[in-house]
Amino acid sequence: GKKQVADALRDVPGMMVAQTGQFGMSSLVMRGSKSRHVLVLVDGVKLNDPSSPDGSLNLTNLLTDNVDRIEVLRGSYSTLYGSYATGGVVNIITKRGSGGLAGSINFEGGSYQTYRESVSLSEGDDTSYFSMAVSRTDSKGISSAAKAPGAVDEPERDGYGNLTLSTRVGYRVLESAWLSFSSRYYDSESDIDDDAYDDDRNNTLSTRQLTSVLAFEHRIASFWSHRLSVYYMNMERHNNDRLDPVDGPLFGDSRYHGMHRKAEWQHMFSLGTFDDITIGGEIEQDAMESLSYGDLWGMGTSTTAFDETGVITKSLYAQNRLKILNRIFLTAGVRRTDHETFGEHLDYQFSGSIALPFTETRFRGNYSTGFHAPTIFQLYDPAYGNKELDPEESVSWDAGVEQPVWGNRLVVDVAYFEVEYDNLIGPEGMKTVNKGRFRTSGVESSMKFAPARWFSVDAHYTYIREAEDVLTGERSIRNPEHQGGANVNLSILDRGNVNFGINYIGKRKDSWFDSAWVEHKIDAEYYTLMHLVGSFEVYRGFVVHGRVENLENRKYENPVGYKSPERSYYGGLKIIL
C-alpha cells in the first residue's frame, strides 16, 4: 500500500521523514544527522541534486512503481560509496524480469480527488530479461501551508501530478558476460506555497529527473569477476512564482539544472569460500547552473545567473571481507579521494560480527570515517558561497547484538551508535561557513515476530540521545528523542492480505520564519499515525485493494507550519495479466 519511497522508509529504524503537505517537499534524516548526509541511489545512480544548496534530495517524486526492494545502510559508508554517504545509504533497486511474460494494470482513486494508474510488464530467462513500468498520479491535494494563526481565509489546495517511467533490460553477450541498462524518468508538477503558514495561490514547481546506468559484467575466472559501469543523472527544476498582491518583492521565475556523471570499474576476487576482495576506481563529475529573474512590484527586472560550474572527483577504493567458519566476519576498507578543489583525502572502515554457537547470538561492530565536500552552491554561489570552506569530516561507530529465538520466528536487534562531524557546514547570516562540530548518538532497536507463515509483526524504536551542536549544546530541529512504529501483517487464504501499521514521532524542536524573516522557535508536540491496508483476489488475476491512512484523523504538522492529510480513503483494482 505504500506508493512513495518516503512512506516505506518511515518504517526503517533510525529514519525520520518530514514532508510539507501531501505531495510537498520531503526530506530524509538518518540517525539524527542532516538530510545532505544521506546518499540516495536508484540502481546505483546517485539521485542527490547537485543544483540544490546542500545537495540533499526531495523524496516526494520517488514512487514505488517497478521497485523490487530498498536496501538501507545506516552509518558512514564513504569507503565504498564516496562523499555523500557519511550518514547512510538508501539504494532503490528496480525489478529484474524473470520467468514468462507477466504484467499488471492497476487503477486507484480516493481522497482529495487523487487518482493513480499504472501498467507493468516483465520477462526473463538465462539469456535476457526486461522489466518496465509506467505510472501516472494526479491529485487536487491539500494546501501545503497550514492556516496561519489569526487568518480568516482557508489556504487553497495545492495540486500535484507525476508521470514516472522505469525500465531495466539485460542481455547475455558472452557465456559469462552480461550487458545491462537501467533507466528511470519522472516528470512532476506541483502547486507549492511560499513558506510555513504562507499560502501562495500561483506558485508552481516543475521537476524532471532522468537516471541511467549502462553496465558490462564479466566473470573472467572462477575467482575473478569485474563490472564496468557508466552512470548519468540529469535534473531540472523550474519554480514559477507569478507576482500577486500578497507576495510583495520576490523572484518570479527560477530555473535550476543539476547533472551527475560517473564511470566506475570494479573487480571482485573470491579466494575460496573464506575471503572476498573488492577493488575499484571511479571518476565522477557534479555540475550545476541556474537562472533567476523577478519583477519588484513593476519597478524593473532583476536577473541572477549561475553559469555552469562542475567539480571532478577521482577515487580508488579497496575492501576485504574475511569469513571464518561461517561465524566470524571481518571487513576492512579504505578509499582515497582526489577532489578537484580539496585535494586528496583518505577514509577507512573496520567492521566485524561473530555468531555464537547454540544460541546463535550475533555481536557486531563498525567504525568508519567519512568525507563530505561542500556543494557547488556552497562554494561558488555569488551571494551565499564561500570558497574558503573546508570539507566536513566524520567519525562513526556503532555496536549491536541480534538474538534469534524459536527457530528465527522471533528476532530482536539492538544497537548503539555515535556520529561526530567536524567542520559542519551551514548558513550564518548571508554566507555559508564552517560552524564547528556536530554530534549525534542514540539507540536503535527492532523486533520481527513471525510465528506462522500467515502472520507477522515488525516493530522498531529509536532513541536519539543527542543531535546537537557540540559547542552550543543546541539540539537540531525536527530530530525527536523518541520515534518508532509497528506493522502487523495477516495473510488470508493465500488470496488476500491485511496490514495494520502505526508510526510514532515524539516531541521535537522546530522553527518557522514569518514574512519579515523573523524566526519563531517552538516545541512541536508528539503524534501517532495509523494506517490500514487490505487486498484480496476476488477472481483469478483480479485483485481489489484499499487503504485508510491517518485512521485517527490526527491533526499534526511536520515540519511546523505545513499541513498534513486528514483521514484519507483509497481503493482500486489490479488486473494481473
Side-chain angles (χ1 to χ4, degrees), residues 50-53 288 306 375-381 384-386 432:
S51 67
S52 70
M288 72 157 289
F306 191 116
T375 65
I376 299 170
F377 181 95
Q378 291 168 336
L379 285 171
Y380 303 118
D381 181 79
Y384 302 98
N386 182 359
T432 304

Side-chain angles (χ1 to χ4, degrees), residues 253-266:
D253 196 290
S254 302
R255 300 173 185 268
Y256 305 89
H257 183 202
M259 293 161 286
H260 172 72
R261 308 176 182 95
K262 185 174 84 168
E264 180 180 23
W265 196 11
Q266 187 179 83

Side-chain angles (χ1 to χ4, degrees), residues 221-264:
S222 59
F223 63 91
W224 177 16
S225 63
H226 71 113
R227 175 186 169 99
L228 181 62
S229 309
V230 179
Y231 304 88
Y232 175 76
M233 189 277 287
N234 184 85
M235 174 172 277
E236 298 176 1
R237 291 181 290 123
H238 178 200
N239 181 201
N240 186 13
D241 190 0
R242 299 178 296 281
L243 291 172
D244 58 53
V246 177
D247 285 339
L250 51 78
F251 281 111
D253 196 290
S254 302
R255 300 173 185 268
Y256 305 89
H257 183 202
M259 293 161 286
H260 172 72
R261 308 176 182 95
K262 185 174 84 168
E264 180 180 23

Side-chain angles (χ1 to χ4, degrees), residues 526-566:
Y526 75 91
Y527 64 90
T528 56
L529 290 178
M530 300 181 184
H531 71 258
L532 183 65
V533 182
S535 64
F536 193 79
E537 188 176 21
V538 294
Y539 186 72
R540 186 179 303 170
F542 289 81
V543 179
V544 295
H545 53 85
R547 70 183 192 277
V548 184
E549 297 180 352
N550 194 0
L551 271 167
E552 292 184 295
N553 201 26
R554 178 76 65 175
K555 305 294 191 297
Y556 69 99
E557 296 176 5
N558 187 16
V560 66
Y562 293 93
K563 195 174 182 181
S564 296
E566 300 174 355

Side-chain angles (χ1 to χ4, degrees), residues 6 30 106 399 415 544:
M30 193 181 298
N106 197 10
V544 295

